[in-house]
Amino acid sequence: MFCYQCEQTAGGKACTSMGVCGKTPEVSGLQDLLIYQLKGIGFYGSKLLDQGKKINARVQNFVIDTAFSTLTNVNFDDERFAEFLKEGAAIKAELKAELGDVEGKVPAEATYILPGTLDEMIRDSKIAGIMVDDTLNEDVRSLREMLIYGLKGMAAYAHHAFVLGSADEEVNNYFFKAFGATVNDDLGVAELLDILMEFGGVNLKCMALLDSANTGTYGHPTPTAVNINNKKGPFIVISGHDLHDLKELLEQTEGKGVNIYTHGEMLPAHGYPELNKYPHLVGNFGGAWQDQQKEFDGLPGCILMTTNCLQKPKASYADRIYSTSVVGFPEMQHIEEVDGKKDFTAMIEKAIELGGFTEDEEVKEIMTGFGHNATLSHAETIVGAVKDGLIRHFFLIGGCDGAKSGRNYYTEIAEKTPADTVILTVACGKFRFNKLDHGNIGPLPRLLDVGQCNDSYSAIRIAVALAEAFECGVNDLPLSIILSWYEQKAVCILLTLLSLGIKNIHIGPSLPAFVSPNVLNVLVEQFAVKPISTPDEDLKAILG
């Protein structure tokens, strides 16, 4: 086992015996082997695209969903990965047959033949490990892994868009081009850096696609107060990121006396008019994903995990947590989609049986729903406040949360930002400070919750629109971007920001283990990427 794709990897170097996330060596190996297969599929697929041929939607969706399944904290089920590998082997054979004879070198990932049993797959997985080729240039390895992790993040966005009926041929085809690039030994550091910048632009298009799918389906988010305390009665907590699953769950629980709470990254769902219209969407339960084992312990209700951010369930709630889509854990109850629909009946009945909370708590509310449409509707007020000296600076404090020490930095810097500054926040890093009272500037709260990590496009739209209003570049705005990272969606967002030429991004709480010293130097020299230091030092450097 060798895995260093997340920020909390063991010792800041790599997990080599057991994943900090809970991933076993066997599952880690199967995920490596699945990526190995996707590289082979990418090789054949990119050759077909070079010939002007099309790749069918079934194959595109397989690549997207299986890449997503290997993202941190999505799927821990070895049997599911065996199924993915078998389907991948069949798809690779299809593409190979369609392509015919190939001139030149064919990588081992393309010619690999999958064995028939799970045990054999686990044994074979040693050929697919990140560090298998000890002769590979460390900078080439670093850039290849960065591209793969970016693809995993973009796969999440493409998956959510597709669920809502939206897809883009350029985005879908890029998975084949990029996976193919990771087995092309003719590509050196310079070429791979160019591909990473190209990827950032494609990911921007993918994020725009998802934003359009979400707002076209559920309306533009509007500022909304969300209750964070409990209401009496049976309930289901829905976690992850999938708004479509939430919509189906709301429809199937309507009129049944079952309350629905969002959890983690589902909090911003309350801002969408077509979701918020359901009165039994009563609030948000708990905080960030890494606290779920404590918060779900003995919970008198059910939990639905729709995407990443799953931890190993404790025995006290193992009988009431359900997975769906690409999410999985051994022996966890899984809800499959059948003919385009999911049946949540068993979970609803279990929630009613459990009885839920026995009394109402006093209502306490926080705000969400400041997507680009809502925020930019106040653009004239915001620009005027800057020109009048009421707003000195904007801080985008966003990204992933996690359990590793050092993340109190994000709480402290949010607390210490001056009263004449605005905080924009996106993704689950907000749970470090979103329940604090930051006050207001004029008619607007100082803290503007832009949404999920899936809504990072909104933050980019806001920054670009403000730059246009001030007739300057984004780098000339009184704006500082301070990001926390944990998993691979943070990687694809960073690459998109860099592809847009945005500089002086602060990153923490630690730098990625997969970034080699030379690649880090490129990021620092070309893009002025900065590791975080202390809140006081960084605020002094930013504000003077």
Side-chain angles (χ1 to χ4, degrees), residues 337-536:
E337 181 177 276
V338 179
D339 297 328
K341 299 291 290 183
K342 295 179 182 180
D343 185 356
F344 297 116
T345 301
M347 184 170 56
I348 294 168
E349 291 176 348
K350 180 68 174 179
I352 294 170
E353 174 193 328
L354 289 167
F357 297 120
T358 57
E359 58 184 37
D360 288 335
E361 294 180 338
E362 182 180 353
V363 171
K364 182 180 179 181
E365 295 179 326
I366 57 176
M367 293 295 295
T368 191
F370 290 94
H372 60 84
N373 191 67
T375 300
L376 293 177
S377 69
H378 297 281
E380 187 176 335
T381 300
I382 294 170
V383 171
V386 173
K387 290 180 177 178
D388 292 340
L390 299 176
I391 296 177
R392 184 182 8 161
H393 204 83
F394 297 90
F395 291 91
L396 174 56
I397 307 176
C400 312
D401 202 2
K404 191 174 177 181
S405 61
R407 291 181 182 270
N408 58 306
Y409 167 94
Y410 297 93
T411 308
E412 292 177 18
I413 199 165
E415 288 178 314
K416 292 180 176 183
T417 54
D420 58 354
T421 62
V422 172
I423 303 170
L424 301 167
T425 189
V426 67
C428 66
K430 69 170 68 74
F431 285 102
R432 289 281 167 176
F433 49 81
N434 70 333
K435 295 177 183 178
L436 305 174
D437 183 4
H438 299 277
N440 297 318
I441 295 181
L444 293 174
R446 272 213 318 123
L447 176 67
L448 303 178
D449 180 1
V450 175
Q452 300 179 342
C453 58
N454 289 8
D455 299 315
S456 296
Y457 177 73
S458 262
I460 294 171
R461 280 281 303 272
I462 291 167
V464 170
L466 288 175
E468 291 173 354
F470 286 108
E471 298 181 347
C472 66
V474 172
N475 291 322
D476 302 313
L477 285 171
L479 168 68
S480 297
I481 300 176
I482 301 172
L483 299 181
S484 59
W485 79 283
Y486 175 75
E487 42 88 334
Q488 296 79 67
K489 282 187 275 187
V491 176
C492 71
I493 292 166
L494 175 63
L495 291 172
T496 292
L497 293 173
L498 298 183
S499 75
L500 292 169
I502 296 174
K503 297 185 176 182
N504 298 305
I505 300 170
H506 294 70
I507 297 178
S510 60
L511 294 175
F514 56 81
V515 174
S516 68
N518 288 333
V519 171
L520 178 60
N521 285 339
V522 171
L523 296 178
V524 171
E525 291 172 7
Q526 290 190 17
F527 301 100
V529 170
K530 305 174 188 296
I532 61 171
S533 57
T534 68
D536 289 332

Side-chain angles (χ1 to χ4, degrees), residues 142-165:
S142 176
L143 293 169
R144 285 179 175 180
E145 291 304 309
M146 193 182 300
L147 180 58
I148 289 168
Y149 302 152
L151 290 170
K152 292 184 181 191
M154 188 168 77
Y157 300 141
H159 166 91
H160 289 299
F162 179 79
V163 164
L164 296 178

Side-chain angles (χ1 to χ4, degrees), residues 124-152:
D124 264 12
S125 67
K126 63 181 181 293
I127 69 172
I130 294 168
M131 304 302 289
V132 166
D133 183 0
D134 58 9
T135 67
L136 185 64
N137 177 280
E138 72 167 346
D139 300 326
V140 169
R141 178 185 286 112
S142 176
L143 293 169
R144 285 179 175 180
E145 291 304 309
M146 193 182 300
L147 180 58
I148 289 168
Y149 302 152
L151 290 170
K152 292 184 181 191

